[in-house]
Coordinates of all heavy atoms in Angstrom, one line a residue:
M1 N 63.2 123.5 -184.5 CA 63.6 122.1 -184.3 C 64.0 121.8 -182.9 O 64.6 122.6 -182.2 CB 64.9 121.9 -185.2 CG 64.6 121.8 -186.7 SD 63.6 120.4 -187.2 CE 64.9 119.1 -187.1
T2 N 63.5 120.7 -182.4 CA 63.8 120.3 -181.1 C 65.2 119.6 -181.0 O 65.4 118.7 -181.8 CB 62.8 119.4 -180.5 OG1 61.5 120.0 -180.5 CG2 63.1 119.0 -179.1
K3 N 66.0 120.1 -180.2 CA 67.3 119.5 -180.1 C 67.3 118.2 -179.3 O 66.9 118.2 -178.1 CB 68.3 120.4 -179.5 CG 69.8 119.9 -179.5 CD 70.7 121.0 -179.0 CE 72.2 120.5 -179.1 NZ 73.1 121.5 -178.6
L4 N 67.5 117.1 -179.9 CA 67.4 115.8 -179.2 C 68.7 115.6 -178.4 O 69.8 115.8 -178.9 CB 67.2 114.7 -180.2 CG 65.9 114.7 -180.9 CD1 65.9 113.6 -182.0 CD2 64.7 114.5 -180.0
K5 N 68.4 115.1 -177.2 CA 69.6 114.8 -176.3 C 69.8 113.3 -176.4 O 69.0 112.5 -176.0 CB 69.2 115.2 -174.9 CG 70.4 114.9 -173.9 CD 69.9 115.3 -172.5 CE 71.0 115.1 -171.5 NZ 70.6 115.4 -170.1
K6 N 70.9 113.0 -177.0 CA 71.3 111.6 -177.3 C 72.5 111.2 -176.4 O 73.4 111.9 -176.2 CB 71.6 111.3 -178.7 CG 70.4 111.6 -179.7 CD 70.8 111.3 -181.1 CE 69.7 111.7 -182.0 NZ 70.0 111.3 -183.4
R7 N 72.4 109.9 -176.0 CA 73.6 109.4 -175.3 C 73.9 108.0 -175.7 O 73.0 107.2 -175.9 CB 73.4 109.5 -173.8 CG 72.3 108.6 -173.2 CD 72.1 108.9 -171.7 NE 71.0 108.2 -171.2 CZ 71.1 107.0 -170.6 NH1 72.2 106.4 -170.6 NH2 70.0 106.3 -170.1
F8 N 75.1 107.7 -175.8 CA 75.5 106.4 -176.1 C 75.3 105.4 -175.0 O 75.4 105.8 -173.8 CB 77.0 106.3 -176.6 CG 77.2 106.8 -178.0 CD1 77.5 108.1 -178.2 CD2 77.1 105.9 -179.0 CE1 77.7 108.6 -179.5 CE2 77.3 106.3 -180.3 CZ 77.6 107.7 -180.6
I9 N 75.0 104.2 -175.3 CA 74.8 103.2 -174.3 C 75.9 102.1 -174.4 O 76.1 101.4 -175.4 CB 73.5 102.4 -174.5 CG1 72.3 103.4 -174.4 CG2 73.3 101.3 -173.4 CD1 71.0 102.8 -174.7
A10 N 76.8 102.1 -173.4 CA 77.9 101.3 -173.4 C 77.5 99.8 -173.4 O 76.6 99.4 -172.6 CB 78.8 101.6 -172.2
G11 N 78.1 99.0 -174.3 CA 77.8 97.6 -174.3 C 76.6 97.2 -175.1 O 76.4 96.0 -175.3
A12 N 75.8 98.2 -175.5 CA 74.6 97.9 -176.3 C 75.0 97.4 -177.7 O 76.0 98.0 -178.3 CB 73.7 99.1 -176.4
R13 N 74.2 96.5 -178.3 CA 74.5 96.0 -179.6 C 73.4 96.3 -180.5 O 72.2 96.1 -180.2 CB 74.8 94.5 -179.5 CG 75.4 93.9 -180.8 CD 75.6 92.4 -180.6 NE 76.6 92.1 -179.7 CZ 77.9 92.0 -180.0 NH1 78.3 92.1 -181.3 NH2 78.8 91.7 -179.1
C14 N 73.7 96.8 -181.7 CA 72.6 97.0 -182.7 C 71.9 95.7 -183.1 O 72.6 94.8 -183.5 CB 73.2 97.8 -183.9 SG 72.0 98.0 -185.2
P15 N 70.6 95.7 -183.0 CA 69.9 94.5 -183.4 C 69.9 94.2 -184.9 O 69.6 93.1 -185.4 CB 68.4 94.7 -183.0 CG 68.3 96.2 -182.9 CD 69.7 96.7 -182.5
K16 N 70.3 95.2 -185.7 CA 70.3 95.1 -187.1 C 71.7 94.7 -187.7 O 71.9 93.8 -188.4 CB 69.8 96.4 -187.8 CG 69.6 96.2 -189.3 CD 68.9 97.5 -189.8 CE 68.6 97.3 -191.3 NZ 67.9 98.4 -191.9
C17 N 72.7 95.6 -187.3 CA 74.0 95.3 -187.9 C 75.0 94.8 -186.9 O 76.1 94.5 -187.2 CB 74.6 96.7 -188.5 SG 75.0 97.9 -187.2
N18 N 74.5 94.6 -185.7 CA 75.3 94.0 -184.6 C 76.6 94.8 -184.2 O 77.5 94.3 -183.6 CB 75.8 92.6 -185.0 CG 74.6 91.6 -184.9 OD1 73.8 91.7 -184.0 ND2 74.6 90.6 -185.8
A19 N 76.6 96.1 -184.6 CA 77.7 96.9 -184.2 C 77.6 97.2 -182.7 O 76.5 97.4 -182.2 CB 77.7 98.2 -184.9
Q20 N 78.7 97.1 -182.0 CA 78.6 97.3 -180.5 C 79.1 98.8 -180.2 O 79.8 99.4 -180.9 CB 79.6 96.3 -179.8 CG 79.2 96.2 -178.4 CD 79.8 94.9 -177.8 OE1 80.6 94.2 -178.4 NE2 79.4 94.6 -176.6
D21 N 78.5 99.3 -179.1 CA 78.8 100.6 -178.6 C 78.4 101.7 -179.7 O 79.1 102.7 -179.8 CB 80.2 100.8 -178.3 CG 80.6 99.9 -177.1 OD1 79.7 99.7 -176.2 OD2 81.7 99.5 -176.9
S22 N 77.5 101.4 -180.5 CA 77.0 102.4 -181.6 C 75.6 102.8 -181.3 O 75.1 103.6 -182.1 CB 77.1 101.8 -183.0 OG 76.2 100.7 -183.1
I23 N 75.0 102.3 -180.2 CA 73.6 102.6 -179.9 C 73.5 103.9 -179.1 O 74.1 104.0 -178.0 CB 73.0 101.4 -179.2 CG1 72.9 100.2 -180.1 CG2 71.5 101.8 -178.8 CD1 72.1 100.3 -181.3
M24 N 72.6 104.8 -179.6 CA 72.3 106.0 -178.8 C 70.9 105.9 -178.4 O 70.0 105.4 -179.0 CB 72.5 107.2 -179.7 CG 73.9 107.5 -180.2 SD 74.0 108.9 -181.3 CE 73.2 108.3 -182.7
L25 N 70.6 106.5 -177.2 CA 69.3 106.5 -176.6 C 68.8 107.9 -176.5 O 69.6 108.8 -176.1 CB 69.3 105.8 -175.2 CG 68.0 105.9 -174.4 CD1 66.9 105.0 -175.1 CD2 68.2 105.4 -173.0
F26 N 67.6 108.2 -176.9 CA 67.1 109.5 -176.8 C 65.5 109.5 -176.8 O 64.9 108.5 -177.1 CB 67.5 110.4 -178.0 CG 67.1 109.9 -179.4 CD1 66.0 110.4 -180.0 CD2 67.9 108.9 -180.0 CE1 65.6 109.9 -181.2 CE2 67.5 108.4 -181.2 CZ 66.4 108.9 -181.9
M27 N 64.9 110.6 -176.4 CA 63.5 110.7 -176.3 C 63.0 111.2 -177.6 O 63.4 112.3 -178.1 CB 63.1 111.6 -175.1 CG 63.5 111.0 -173.8 SD 62.6 109.4 -173.4 CE 61.0 110.1 -173.1
Q28 N 62.0 110.6 -178.2 CA 61.3 111.0 -179.4 C 59.8 111.0 -179.2 O 59.3 109.9 -179.0 CB 61.8 110.2 -180.6 CG 61.3 110.7 -181.9 CD 61.8 109.9 -183.1 OE1 61.6 108.7 -183.2 NE2 62.6 110.6 -183.9
N29 N 59.2 112.1 -179.2 CA 57.8 112.2 -178.9 C 57.4 111.5 -177.6 O 56.4 110.9 -177.5 CB 57.0 111.6 -180.1 CG 57.3 112.3 -181.4 OD1 57.4 113.5 -181.4 ND2 57.4 111.6 -182.5
G30 N 58.3 111.6 -176.6 CA 58.0 111.1 -175.3 C 58.3 109.6 -175.2 O 58.0 109.0 -174.2
V31 N 58.8 109.0 -176.3 CA 59.1 107.6 -176.3 C 60.6 107.4 -176.3 O 61.3 108.0 -177.1 CB 58.4 106.9 -177.5 CG1 58.8 105.4 -177.5 CG2 56.9 107.1 -177.4
E32 N 61.1 106.5 -175.5 CA 62.5 106.2 -175.6 C 62.9 105.5 -176.8 O 62.2 104.5 -177.2 CB 62.9 105.3 -174.3 CG 62.7 106.1 -173.0 CD 63.9 105.8 -172.1 OE1 64.3 104.7 -172.0 OE2 64.3 106.8 -171.5
T33 N 63.8 106.0 -177.5 CA 64.2 105.5 -178.9 C 65.7 105.2 -178.9 O 66.5 106.0 -178.4 CB 63.8 106.5 -179.9 OG1 62.4 106.8 -179.8 CG2 64.1 106.0 -181.3
I34 N 66.0 104.2 -179.6 CA 67.5 103.9 -179.8 C 67.8 104.1 -181.2 O 66.9 103.8 -182.1 CB 67.9 102.5 -179.3 CG1 67.1 101.4 -180.0 CG2 67.8 102.4 -177.8 CD1 67.7 100.0 -179.9
E35 N 69.0 104.6 -181.5 CA 69.4 104.7 -182.9 C 70.8 104.2 -183.0 O 71.7 104.5 -182.2 CB 69.3 106.2 -183.3 CG 69.8 106.4 -184.7 CD 69.7 107.9 -185.1 OE1 68.9 108.6 -184.5 OE2 70.5 108.3 -185.9
C36 N 71.1 103.5 -184.0 CA 72.4 103.0 -184.3 C 73.1 104.0 -185.1 O 72.7 104.4 -186.2 CB 72.4 101.7 -185.0 SG 74.0 101.0 -185.5
S37 N 74.3 104.5 -184.6 CA 75.0 105.5 -185.4 C 75.8 104.9 -186.5 O 76.3 105.6 -187.4 CB 76.0 106.2 -184.4 OG 77.0 105.2 -183.9
D38 N 75.8 103.6 -186.6 CA 76.5 102.9 -187.6 C 75.7 102.7 -188.9 O 76.1 103.0 -190.0 CB 77.0 101.5 -187.1 CG 78.2 101.0 -187.8 OD1 79.1 101.8 -188.1 OD2 78.2 99.8 -188.2
C39 N 74.5 102.1 -188.7 CA 73.6 101.8 -189.8 C 72.4 102.7 -189.9 O 71.6 102.6 -190.8 CB 73.2 100.3 -189.8 SG 72.1 99.9 -188.5
G40 N 72.1 103.4 -188.8 CA 71.0 104.3 -188.8 C 69.7 103.6 -188.3 O 68.6 104.3 -188.4
H41 N 69.7 102.4 -187.9 CA 68.6 101.7 -187.5 C 68.0 102.3 -186.2 O 68.7 102.7 -185.3 CB 68.9 100.2 -187.2 CG 67.8 99.4 -186.6 ND1 66.7 99.1 -187.3 CD2 67.6 98.9 -185.3 CE1 65.9 98.4 -186.6 NE2 66.4 98.3 -185.4
T42 N 66.7 102.5 -186.2 CA 66.0 103.1 -185.0 C 65.0 102.1 -184.5 O 64.4 101.3 -185.2 CB 65.3 104.4 -185.3 OG1 64.4 104.2 -186.3 CG2 66.3 105.5 -185.7
Q43 N 64.7 102.2 -183.2 CA 63.8 101.3 -182.6 C 63.2 102.0 -181.3 O 64.0 102.6 -180.5 CB 64.4 100.0 -182.2 CG 63.5 98.9 -181.8 CD 64.2 97.5 -181.7 OE1 65.2 97.3 -182.4 NE2 63.7 96.7 -180.8
T44 N 61.9 101.9 -181.1 CA 61.3 102.5 -179.9 C 60.9 101.4 -178.9 O 60.7 100.2 -179.3 CB 60.1 103.3 -180.3 OG1 59.2 102.5 -180.9 CG2 60.5 104.5 -181.1
Q45 N 60.7 101.7 -177.7 CA 60.3 100.7 -176.8 C 59.0 101.2 -176.0 O 58.8 102.4 -175.9 CB 61.4 100.4 -175.8 CG 61.8 101.6 -174.9 CD 62.9 101.1 -174.0 OE1 63.5 100.1 -174.1 NE2 63.2 101.9 -173.0
G46 N 58.3 100.3 -175.5 CA 57.0 100.5 -174.9 C 57.1 101.2 -173.6 O 58.1 101.2 -173.0
S47 N 56.0 101.8 -173.1 CA 55.9 102.5 -171.9 C 56.1 101.6 -170.7 O 56.6 102.0 -169.6 CB 54.6 103.2 -171.7 OG 53.5 102.3 -171.8
D48 N 55.8 100.3 -170.8 CA 55.9 99.4 -169.7 C 57.4 99.2 -169.4 O 57.7 99.0 -168.2 CB 55.3 98.0 -170.0 CG 55.9 97.4 -171.3 OD1 56.3 98.2 -172.2 OD2 55.9 96.2 -171.4
A49 N 58.2 99.2 -170.4 CA 59.6 99.0 -170.1 C 60.2 100.3 -169.4 O 61.1 100.2 -168.6 CB 60.4 98.9 -171.5
Q50 N 59.6 101.4 -169.7 CA 60.1 102.6 -169.1 C 59.8 102.6 -167.6 O 60.6 103.0 -166.7 CB 59.4 103.9 -169.6 CG 59.9 104.2 -171.0 CD 59.2 105.5 -171.6 OE1 58.7 106.3 -170.8 NE2 59.1 105.6 -172.9
Q51 N 58.7 102.0 -167.2 CA 58.3 101.9 -165.8 C 59.2 100.9 -165.1 O 59.5 101.0 -163.9 CB 56.8 101.5 -165.7 CG 55.9 102.6 -166.2 CD 54.4 102.1 -166.3 OE1 54.1 101.0 -165.9 NE2 53.6 103.0 -166.7
K52 N 59.6 99.9 -165.8 CA 60.3 98.8 -165.2 C 61.7 99.3 -164.7 O 62.2 98.9 -163.7 CB 60.5 97.7 -166.2 CG 61.1 96.4 -165.6 CD 61.0 95.2 -166.5 CE 61.9 95.4 -167.7 NZ 61.9 94.2 -168.6
S53 N 62.3 100.1 -165.5 CA 63.6 100.6 -165.2 C 63.9 102.0 -165.7 O 63.5 102.3 -166.8 CB 64.7 99.6 -165.7 OG 66.0 100.1 -165.5
A54 N 64.5 102.8 -164.9 CA 64.8 104.2 -165.3 C 66.1 104.3 -166.0 O 66.5 105.3 -166.5 CB 64.8 105.1 -164.1
G55 N 66.9 103.2 -166.0 CA 68.2 103.3 -166.6 C 68.8 101.9 -166.8 O 68.1 101.1 -167.4
G56 N 70.0 101.7 -166.4 CA 70.6 100.4 -166.3 C 70.2 99.4 -167.4 O 70.8 99.4 -168.4
D57 N 69.2 98.5 -167.1 CA 68.9 97.4 -168.0 C 68.0 97.8 -169.1 O 67.5 96.9 -169.8 CB 68.3 96.3 -167.1 CG 69.3 95.8 -166.1 OD1 70.5 95.9 -166.3 OD2 68.8 95.3 -165.1
L58 N 67.7 99.0 -169.3 CA 66.7 99.5 -170.2 C 67.0 98.9 -171.6 O 66.1 98.4 -172.3 CB 66.8 101.0 -170.4 CG 65.5 101.7 -170.6 CD1 64.5 101.4 -169.5 CD2 65.7 103.2 -170.6
I59 N 68.2 98.8 -172.0 CA 68.6 98.4 -173.4 C 68.4 96.9 -173.5 O 68.3 96.3 -174.6 CB 70.0 98.7 -173.7 CG1 70.2 98.7 -175.2 CG2 71.0 97.8 -173.0 CD1 69.5 99.8 -175.9
G60 N 68.2 96.2 -172.4 CA 68.0 94.8 -172.4 C 66.7 94.4 -173.1 O 66.6 93.2 -173.5
V61 N 65.8 95.3 -173.3 CA 64.6 95.0 -174.0 C 64.8 94.7 -175.4 O 64.1 94.0 -176.1 CB 63.6 96.2 -173.8 CG1 62.3 95.9 -174.5 CG2 63.4 96.5 -172.4
F62 N 65.8 95.3 -176.0 CA 66.1 95.2 -177.4 C 66.9 94.0 -177.7 O 68.2 94.0 -177.5 CB 66.8 96.4 -177.9 CG 65.9 97.7 -177.8 CD1 66.1 98.5 -176.7 CD2 64.9 97.9 -178.6 CE1 65.3 99.6 -176.5 CE2 64.1 99.1 -178.5 CZ 64.3 99.9 -177.4
K63 N 66.3 92.9 -178.0 CA 67.0 91.7 -178.3 C 67.1 91.5 -179.8 O 66.2 91.8 -180.5 CB 66.3 90.5 -177.7 CG 66.3 90.6 -176.1 CD 65.6 89.5 -175.5 CE 65.6 89.6 -174.0 NZ 64.7 88.6 -173.3
P64 N 68.2 91.0 -180.3 CA 68.5 90.8 -181.7 C 67.4 89.9 -182.4 O 66.9 90.2 -183.4 CB 69.8 90.0 -181.8 CG 70.5 90.4 -180.5 CD 69.4 90.6 -179.5
E65 N 66.9 88.9 -181.7 CA 65.9 88.0 -182.3 C 64.9 87.7 -181.2 O 65.2 87.3 -180.1 CB 66.5 86.7 -182.8 CG 67.4 86.9 -184.0 CD 66.6 87.4 -185.2 OE1 65.4 87.1 -185.3 OE2 67.2 88.1 -186.1
Ligands
LIG101 ZN1 73.3 99.2 -186.7

């Protein structure tokens, strides 16, 4: 099993349950993935977003609606 390195993203809000500070970011199969520790919702983002920013505003891609 590959041990996934997850880190919480301060201020991020889950697009599904709207829980704040519950979003973890980790790499899954080379794709940046977020997971809500509250409801278990996961979401991946495209490679273009990875090129745009290496950190900081990365979570801004995930909008509730
Ligand atoms: Zn959630």
Side-chain angles (χ1 to χ4, degrees):
M1 289 291 284
T2 303
K3 188 175 183 181
L4 294 174
K5 184 179 179 184
K6 300 182 181 181
R7 63 186 178 89
F8 279 93
I9 301 176
R13 190 182 293 270
C14 176
K16 189 172 183 179
C17 71
N18 286 326
Q20 199 160 12
D21 296 330
S22 66
I23 296 295
M24 294 179 291
L25 175 68
F26 59 98
M27 296 295 288
Q28 187 174 60
N29 300 321
V31 180
E32 296 222 316
T33 305
I34 58 167
E35 179 181 333
C36 176
S37 63
D38 203 46
C39 71
H41 176 70
T42 59
Q43 192 171 329
T44 57
Q45 64 180 13
S47 57
D48 57 331
Q50 287 182 25
Q51 294 172 359
K52 191 170 66 178
S53 175
D57 297 334
L58 216 57
I59 200 67
V61 181
F62 299 98
K63 296 176 180 175
E65 293 295 334

